[in-house]
Amino acid sequence: MANPTQQAQIELLADHLSANADALHRRLMRAIRQPAADGALPGISQGVAQALFENEVALRQRANGLYLEAAVLAASGLGSQQQQLLDLTARAQEKIDKIDRLKDLVDLAGELLSLGAAVAAGKPEQVLKPLEKLKQHIEAL
């Protein structure tokens, strides 16, 4: 049986990924509605917008997968990395709301997807690389 504390932490991680998807959606909608004259995310093309929407959907799917697999993931040995994941995804949400360069928004969304995929795989050894990339990107912002 899964440890209830670990399960709650995994579900909280899923909540954070969902919140990141919400933040990505809000930011993307602002970029679409905002005239390019003020320099914030200028010239967002339909292709880039579509790719970001697809990233948003994928983040939501990862979060939903975590909710469904919380008991399995809790037993997979993420252990001490759980709090770091929670903290990092919370910081990512803050950054999404403040990003003003399209490239940074796309990169951060992609790194969140990679992290979500690694966690959803339930293999702790696959979490470290995307976790470090996301951490470095957030620090750079």
Side-chain angles (χ1 to χ4, degrees):
M1 184 160 160
N3 177 327
T5 302
Q6 285 181 322
Q7 185 173 358
Q9 288 179 331
I10 297 295
E11 290 172 4
L12 186 57
L13 178 58
D15 290 343
H16 282 242
L17 288 176
S18 291
N20 277 289
D22 291 343
L24 181 60
H25 180 81
R26 284 190 308 271
R27 190 65 181 94
L28 180 56
M29 293 308 295
R30 252 191 346 239
I32 288 170
R33 291 183 186 124
Q34 191 170 37
D38 71 358
L41 295 178
I44 188 167
S45 69
Q46 181 178 353
V48 171
Q50 182 63 41
L52 286 171
F53 278 126
E54 288 171 9
N55 284 346
E56 174 194 345
V57 169
L59 274 174
R60 292 184 193 288
Q61 289 173 336
R62 297 281 187 232
N64 289 339
L66 286 174
Y67 289 126
L68 294 173
E69 299 293 328
V72 174
L73 292 174
S76 73
L78 289 174
S80 64
Q81 291 180 333
Q82 287 176 341
Q83 188 59 49
Q84 188 177 10
L85 289 168
L86 294 173
D87 294 342
L88 200 55
T89 55
R91 288 180 56 206
Q93 181 181 348
E94 293 171 7
K95 296 292 184 182
I96 287 170
D97 287 335
K98 296 176 182 172
I99 288 174
D100 64 355
R101 288 184 359 175
L102 183 60
K103 181 187 180 308
D104 289 332
L105 188 60
V106 171
D107 289 347
L108 189 57
E111 288 164 4
L112 283 165
L113 285 172
S114 294
L115 180 62
V119 171
K123 297 182 180 174
E125 65 276 6
Q126 294 178 357
V127 172
L128 187 57
K129 184 176 179 182
L131 178 68
E132 288 302 316
K133 284 183 73 175
L134 181 60
K135 188 188 309 182
Q136 290 170 0
H137 193 102
I138 287 174
E139 292 299 320
L141 292 173

